[in-house]
Amino acid sequence: MALSREEREQFLSEPRVAALAVDAGEGRAPLTVPIWYQYAPGEDVWILTGLHSRKNRLLQAAGRFSLLVERAEPTIRYVSVEGPVVDTSPATIEKLREISARYLPAEKVEGYVDFAWKNHGEQVVVRMRPERWVSSDLGSV
């Protein structure tokens, strides 16, 4: 059964690892990779990625991407969202801290942020405006 707007937005706002998919060009399947993301109901989705990464080059060329998040318990549920890239801007340490706090235990955030800021190279924030949603709750198995 499809989720209501409120249910799908709430589900997407939970800290789940998403599968990001973006067009990889003619003769290639879409690039599909796991990624951390940030979302609040009614807002844009955003991710952090390397400025010079293949992923960022493909995102900029395609101008749109999709994310898929799922769970298997207590019911099988998923939400897929697709839309255009609406902004790309330099990452800040505050954005890195925000997304890290979404996924890591509180006591691990500062150590990770310090390491990532120093070692992951220049990062960008890529924002996507959700246009198309596909969602379902298939019940329990």
Side-chain angles (χ1 to χ4, degrees):
M1 171 175 275
L3 303 177
S4 70
R5 179 181 179 165
E6 293 77 22
E7 289 171 324
R8 72 184 188 209
E9 288 186 345
Q10 176 58 41
F11 187 77
L12 190 62
S13 70
E14 295 170 3
R16 301 183 182 283
V17 174
L20 177 144
V22 62
D23 184 5
E26 189 168 334
R28 299 287 304 262
L31 172 69
T32 306
V33 294
I35 195 162
W36 290 355
Y37 68 94
Q38 180 62 291
Y39 176 74
E43 296 183 8
D44 294 338
V45 174
W46 63 266
I47 62 165
L48 281 174
T49 192
L51 174 64
H52 303 292
S53 67
R54 177 171 181 241
K55 186 183 331 152
N56 189 45
R57 288 192 309 275
L58 293 173
L59 288 167
Q60 300 311 312
R64 62 189 312 108
F65 66 96
S66 62
L67 293 177
L68 170 68
V69 294
E70 64 179 332
R71 73 169 191 212
E73 293 180 2
T75 61
I76 299 170
R77 180 177 279 200
Y78 70 87
V79 170
S80 177
V81 61
E82 177 217 342
V85 171
V86 294
D87 184 60
T88 301
S89 58
T92 64
I93 200 162
E94 291 78 17
K95 286 293 187 194
L96 176 58
R97 188 173 288 113
E98 178 182 339
I99 205 163
S100 299
R102 178 172 162 85
Y103 290 94
L104 298 174
E107 68 275 7
K108 301 287 186 181
V109 171
E110 287 307 315
Y112 175 78
V113 167
D114 183 56
F115 173 83
W117 193 252
K118 291 176 182 172
N119 294 287
H120 288 176
E122 195 170 354
Q123 301 280 304
V124 291
V125 174
V126 180
R127 292 185 178 279
M128 179 255 280
R129 178 140 314 122
E131 281 185 344
R132 294 182 181 89
W133 297 76
V134 178
S135 63
S136 186
D137 191 321
L138 304 173
S140 59
V141 181

